[in-house]
Amino acid sequence: MINYLQEHLWLVWTLLCVLALILEVSSGTFYIMCFAIGAACAIVASLFDIPFWSQVLVFIIFTAISVFAVRPFVVKYLHSETEGRASNADALIGREGVVIEPITAQAPGYVRVDGDEWKAVSVDDEDIERGAKVRIVARESIIVSVEKVE
């Protein structure tokens, strides 16, 4: 078995490449993908029947190159749209809702936005009656600041 693997090192590199790709699917960090690229380059090197230490050197060099050259490009390309996107409660800013309990300058009221109820205060201390449409302009903890929509 050992003699067979020594004579067919491309098979070992192929197994390493496939294993790295499978692990990359579960991690999503794009670091393990670099090992798959290095292993693919080592497969090509093994087809030229060069010594094993040279194949390992090819694997190391191309893995390092792909970490610094390929990975940043892939991460920038795949994650470009999600970096500026607000999530969770921060995604409320700019949304419109309906006042379900009146908002006055002296006391906060409640606003319903997409089925959720939020404690709300008026941005300009304006009284806002029940049923009025409002837009969320800020959020401080669990209290949202709203302005009336005309």
Side-chain angles (χ1 to χ4, degrees):
M1 179 74 173
I2 299 292
N3 287 336
Y4 179 80
L5 289 177
Q6 287 175 340
E7 293 174 10
H8 300 92
L9 283 172
W10 65 270
L11 186 58
V12 175
W13 292 114
T14 302
L15 291 173
L16 182 64
C17 182
V18 169
L19 178 65
L21 289 173
I22 290 170
L23 291 173
E24 178 58 50
V25 169
S26 66
S27 75
T29 60
F30 302 111
Y31 277 110
I32 303 174
M33 174 192 67
C34 298
F35 288 98
I37 292 170
C41 294
I43 292 169
V44 173
S46 70
L47 295 177
F48 291 108
D49 204 26
I50 62 174
F52 179 68
W53 67 267
S54 298
Q55 295 174 29
V56 171
L57 191 62
V58 166
F59 171 74
I60 292 170
I61 290 170
F62 280 95
T63 299
I65 288 172
S66 63
V67 165
F68 295 110
V70 175
R71 184 183 180 277
F73 174 74
V74 171
V75 169
K76 181 180 177 185
Y77 179 74
L78 291 177
H79 293 166
S80 63
E81 64 191 38
T82 59
E83 291 181 4
R85 189 172 68 190
S87 63
N88 298 334
D90 291 331
L92 284 172
I93 298 174
R95 306 288 301 264
E96 292 186 4
V98 176
V99 176
I100 58 172
E101 187 176 308
I103 301 169
T104 64
Q106 296 80 20
Y110 282 89
V111 174
R112 180 171 287 134
V113 180
D114 296 332
D116 293 328
E117 297 177 4
W118 291 87
K119 193 174 202 176
V121 295
S122 176
V123 172
D124 50 7
D125 292 331
E126 175 187 358
D127 291 344
I128 304 174
E129 67 280 350
R130 182 176 184 201
K133 289 195 176 218
V134 293
R135 179 179 298 115
I136 298 175
V137 294
R139 180 186 67 85
E140 182 66 37
S141 186
I142 60 169
I143 301 174
V144 294
S145 299
V146 297
E147 65 182 4
K148 195 170 184 178
V149 176
E150 302 301 326

